[in-house]
Amino acid sequence: MGSVSLNVASSRRGGRRGLSCLCSPALLNLLVLLSLLSTNLLALLAFLSPRARGPVPAAAGLSASSSSSAISAQVAAIAREIEATRLVPHRAALSPELLLFLSPHALPLGRDARTGLTHMPASVAHACFRSPPTLALLSAFASYEPRAACPRNATLPHRLLSKGCEPLPRRRCLSRAPRAPLPSSNMGVDSRRWVKPRHDHEFLIDDVLRLAGAASTKIRIGLDVAGGAANFAARMRERGVTVVTTVLDNAGKPMNEFVAARGLFPLLLSPAHRFPFYDGVFDLVHVGTTALDEGGAPALGQAGTEEALEFLMFDVDRVLRAGGLLWIDSYMCHSEERRQVVVRLIRRFGYKKLKWVAGEKAGTGSSKTAMYISAVLQKSGRG
């Protein structure tokens, strides 16, 4: 940038000898260094100023403006969500524990630079607040004495989950023991299912495992969607396969406790909930007789829509690894139209058919003829 020279003439007058002592070589070098740094800094600031860079092109300006607007809109939406959670209607009717849980808690490090949030909202579904009856159930669920035994309201979680109120709030109460001794036998009432043939549309476990071996697929871990008492998981355990069973307790029936008493893994999950698993972790996904309807969330009034089934199938596809098997086990359709909806949906994923049976099952008495689908499909590898 140039050099700076300081020439300080030595004074012949004795009164200025103190000033000459102050202008030592070390001090002069420091002044030169500071001068250079300040000059370079001013030049850098002048270069980075908007005026030095000239006018911004119109396209770039619009892009930056739209990006900034999108970010601002997203932050504003998040703020509205937090405010909606904070300003819960009918606050006077809610229990103190629920109000404490719903209160936003300040982030430990202050404002988050990425989202602009300063408080963490409560992790409770907004469906819990959409109707006064659901809100009353939620308040009853959170009505308890802190640090004491939890109340015996086993039906409340089922009723709340069936209304889409999920996730439920955490509680500060101690869990109770099972209400009654549960059987620890390995199998349930039906000891022939998946082992001995009963109907043409029911596949046997050994046959499916042989299909997997022929397709060069090893079955080690699986997911059973809406598996009830986990009979399928118990049968698969006999063959060295670990299966996680999604279970939703029925009113007054502790299905999760029953499954756990059999030494199996229950997962409390409502029909419309996203599977809490990472992508591609299962070798096998078993979709039982009613799982497709339950996956469409009939309690939410969506069981008949193709979109609800599509959401379920995409989540099944997400957790199933490439080369894994999807076993649709004796799905009964109430009409031919419903069966065609399911068939079209399955075809969209491009799975390889290892075994496929579809037809009609004659009803007994006043029951109508049912359409059924049973299939073993292999997920193809995708780039």
Side-chain angles (χ1 to χ4, degrees):
M1 298 293 297
S3 62
V4 178
S5 174
L6 293 178
N7 185 12
V8 180
S10 58
S11 176
R12 297 180 180 179
R13 300 179 60 180
R16 297 189 178 181
R17 289 180 181 178
L19 181 61
S20 301
C21 294
L22 291 176
C23 296
S24 61
L27 182 59
L28 291 177
N29 292 335
L30 179 61
L31 291 175
V32 171
L33 178 61
L34 291 177
S35 176
L36 290 174
L37 289 177
S38 60
T39 304
N40 293 335
L41 181 60
L42 291 174
L44 179 62
L45 291 177
F47 177 76
L48 294 178
S49 65
R51 294 180 179 178
R53 284 181 284 178
V56 180
L62 291 175
S63 177
S65 176
S66 60
S67 177
S68 177
S69 301
I71 296 175
S72 301
Q74 184 177 5
V75 173
I78 295 174
R80 287 194 299 270
E81 294 288 336
I82 297 174
E83 193 66 19
T85 305
R86 186 185 306 175
L87 302 176
V88 179
H90 312 292
R91 294 179 65 91
L94 300 183
S95 64
E97 283 294 297
L98 182 58
L99 287 175
L100 178 62
F101 182 83
L102 294 177
S103 300
H105 301 278
L107 296 177
L109 300 180
R111 181 179 180 275
D112 183 70
R114 296 182 60 186
T115 62
L117 301 180
T118 58
H119 291 72
M120 179 61 66
S123 57
V124 180
H126 285 194
C128 302
F129 312 115
R130 289 178 180 172
S131 65
T134 306
L135 190 60
L137 290 176
L138 183 64
S139 183
F141 175 78
S143 298
Y144 59 88
E145 184 179 352
R147 303 175 186 85
C150 295
R152 293 193 181 278
N153 50 8
T155 61
L156 281 180
H158 168 77
R159 296 168 65 185
L160 286 168
L161 295 181
S162 65
K163 295 178 179 295
C165 182
E166 185 180 19
L168 294 176
R170 290 174 173 170
R171 300 193 296 182
R172 299 188 298 166
C173 58
L174 303 175
S175 61
R176 293 177 178 268
R179 285 161 286 182
L182 297 173
S184 58
S185 61
N186 191 40
M187 287 306 300
V189 178
D190 191 353
S191 60
R192 295 184 56 189
R193 184 77 186 273
W194 302 294
V195 178
K196 299 178 182 179
R198 301 187 313 172
H199 307 286
D200 294 338
H201 54 81
E202 290 184 353
F203 301 158
L204 306 183
I205 287 179
D206 292 335
D207 293 341
V208 174
L209 293 180
R210 278 193 290 269
L211 289 174
S216 301
T217 297
K218 184 170 180 59
I219 306 298
R220 299 156 298 183
I221 182 172
L223 173 66
D224 188 14
V225 182
N231 289 335
F232 178 78
R235 284 301 190 196
M236 294 297 287
R237 182 174 61 178
E238 296 174 352
R239 289 150 179 83
V241 179
T242 302
V243 172
V244 178
T245 305
T246 67
V247 183
L248 183 62
D249 286 353
N250 295 322
K253 296 181 181 179
M255 297 300 296
N256 281 271
E257 297 175 5
F258 178 78
V259 172
R262 304 174 70 182
L264 301 170
F265 194 110
L267 179 64
L268 179 62
L269 203 66
S270 69
H273 196 286
R274 182 181 187 268
F275 297 131
F277 301 110
Y278 196 72
D279 299 359
V281 295
F282 289 107
D283 305 312
L284 170 70
V285 176
H286 178 258
V287 180
T289 305
T290 60
L292 288 179
D293 284 336
E294 292 183 5
L300 304 180
Q302 300 176 359
T305 65
E306 188 173 354
E307 290 79 8
L309 283 176
E310 191 174 34
F311 274 112
L312 170 67
M313 291 300 298
F314 268 100
D315 211 29
V316 167
D317 179 80
R318 180 184 62 81
V319 300
L320 184 63
R321 70 172 178 86
L325 300 188
L326 170 59
W327 182 354
I328 299 177
D329 192 356
S330 303
Y331 173 59
M332 296 296 173
C333 311
H334 55 76
S335 65
E336 176 63 22
E337 181 182 0
R338 178 69 169 182
R339 186 175 67 175
Q340 292 300 325
V341 167
V342 176
V343 171
R344 287 196 304 269
L345 183 59
I346 293 174
R347 288 175 179 170
R348 294 176 190 171
F349 291 91
Y351 284 14
K352 179 181 179 181
K353 294 181 181 180
L354 302 183
K355 192 171 184 178
W356 178 281
V357 176
E360 298 181 357
K361 180 181 178 181
T364 58
S366 59
S367 61
K368 299 180 180 179
T369 301
M371 313 290 176
Y372 63 83
I373 296 175
S374 292
V376 178
L377 311 169
Q378 184 179 31
K379 180 179 177 179
S380 59
R382 300 170 186 150

